[in-house]
Amino acid sequence: MFECKLICTDIDGTLLNGNHQITLRTKDALRRARRRGIIVALVSGRIASSLAVLQQEIGIQGPLGCFNGSLVLDEDGTELEAHPIRLEQALEVLDAVRHTELEAFVFTNESWYTKEKSPWYDIEVEASRTEGRIVPFSELESSFHPGERPFKVLCMHHDPAYVKETQTSLQATFGTSLNILNSSPKYIEIMARGVDKGHAVRSLCNAYSIDASSVMAVGDFYNDIGMFRASGYSVAMGNAPRTVKECAIALTKSNNEDGLALAIEAIL
């Protein structure tokens, strides 16, 4: 029988249902896991402050894997692993995006930035439950606090076909120096090359002396595959694309059917 010591769960499409809510059953399953001594880590493309809000709502404490594994924090907020991108790289991407229809945000270890308010800004505030900073991208460096570093450029568009087209162009330009991936059909995430959610799993295993065979990872999209590969027991959500499901050991129901709760209940 699988003995779980660490649960690594994705957020959007996994922890959250289609209404961006955490169901009572899911909260209860996560709290039960914690009471049994299982560490619960939220591993996402999101910033730490957004993940902390979700932890508070669930009523648990634990480590965080932010920006798809580019920044890993223990339960006290201490950095376990950090892979920022250079500001010059972020500015080069923003300049390239300026000539497209993509909206762009820059995420740091402290905050997130946009050049102006827009409907996408409102969507991000609602999803992350954290306000961004309105700053011209040419003034980013002077706006950063000491120790603040960029970790991710997020690009988005309502048309998945346009996202795919522009992602191909960005990959051709920056793919040798940066990691360019989808976190949903409408989002392109640009981060340090060679880093994925698997880094968060391995970092947490090292920090808490846990063997990978005792890790359960649950996710729903392509950026979760690295986490699946680093874990002993991987579970794909019912709403995941077929190719993502094929990378997992087990399947559960969709995020609108308490799929995460069912996966956790099955190993408790």
Side-chain angles (χ1 to χ4, degrees):
M1 172 129 180
F2 172 62
E3 182 183 359
C4 185
K5 296 183 179 179
L6 169 64
I7 296 172
C8 293
T9 177
D10 172 54
I11 303 303
D12 297 284
T14 302
L15 175 70
L16 303 179
N17 64 17
N19 294 320
H20 305 289
Q21 297 173 335
I22 310 172
T23 67
L24 292 175
R25 184 172 181 177
T26 298
K27 292 178 185 178
D28 179 67
L30 289 165
R31 289 194 290 257
R32 284 173 57 199
R34 285 296 298 123
R35 287 196 296 269
R36 293 204 180 188
I38 299 172
I39 297 171
V40 175
L42 306 186
V43 182
S44 169
R46 293 188 181 213
I47 192 170
S49 56
S50 175
L51 298 178
V53 170
L54 297 175
Q55 284 180 320
Q56 292 171 3
E57 180 181 342
I58 299 165
I60 62 171
Q61 293 180 320
L64 301 173
C66 313
F67 308 128
N68 289 302
S70 295
L71 177 63
V72 187
L73 308 173
D74 68 13
E75 66 273 15
D76 298 317
T78 302
E79 287 189 7
L80 300 176
E81 189 168 345
H83 300 276
I85 60 176
R86 298 193 315 274
L87 178 61
E88 293 79 7
Q89 291 177 303
L91 293 175
E92 287 175 1
V93 171
L94 292 171
D95 184 62
V97 170
R98 184 168 57 88
H99 303 289
T100 72
E101 297 176 15
L102 295 173
E103 185 86 20
F105 301 150
V106 176
F107 287 79
T108 73
N109 51 311
E110 294 187 14
S111 187
W112 62 279
Y113 295 79
T114 182
K115 62 183 179 180
E116 60 188 4
K117 283 198 174 183
S118 69
W120 282 108
Y121 175 90
D122 296 333
I123 290 171
E124 183 63 28
V125 170
E126 182 179 3
S128 68
R129 307 181 197 181
T130 59
E131 291 279 348
R133 298 182 64 190
I134 312 298
V135 174
F137 288 148
S138 60
E139 300 175 12
L140 272 180
E141 185 172 14
S142 60
S143 301
F144 284 179
H145 299 140
E148 188 171 6
R149 294 150 290 161
F151 279 82
K152 180 177 79 171
V153 177
L154 178 66
C155 301
M156 64 290 292
H157 194 278
H158 286 295
D159 182 1
Y162 186 79
V163 168
K164 185 175 181 179
E165 175 187 340
T166 50
Q167 180 175 351
T168 299
S169 176
L170 290 170
Q171 183 69 41
T173 305
F174 300 104
T176 59
S177 57
L178 293 167
N179 196 18
I180 301 170
L181 55 83
N182 290 108
S183 56
S184 88
K186 297 180 181 180
Y187 287 85
I188 305 170
E189 306 212 1
I190 303 167
M191 296 158 296
R193 180 163 175 76
V195 180
D196 60 28
K197 289 187 178 184
H199 283 73
V201 175
R202 290 185 287 271
S203 182
L204 293 173
C205 285
N206 290 334
Y208 293 95
S209 300
I210 295 172
D211 191 88
S213 62
S214 297
V215 180
M216 180 171 80
V218 189
D220 77 300
F221 213 66
Y222 299 104
N223 59 328
D224 294 311
I225 293 175
M227 184 167 67
F228 288 175
R229 290 172 176 164
S231 304
Y233 184 57
S234 52
V235 183
M237 300 293 289
N239 47 293
R242 177 182 56 81
T243 50
V244 175
K245 292 177 179 177
E246 291 173 350
C247 294
I249 291 173
L251 301 179
T252 186
K253 297 286 188 180
S254 76
N255 61 325
N256 287 322
E257 301 170 286
D258 283 318
L260 175 60
L262 289 167
I264 295 171
E265 290 165 2
I267 57 95
L268 291 181

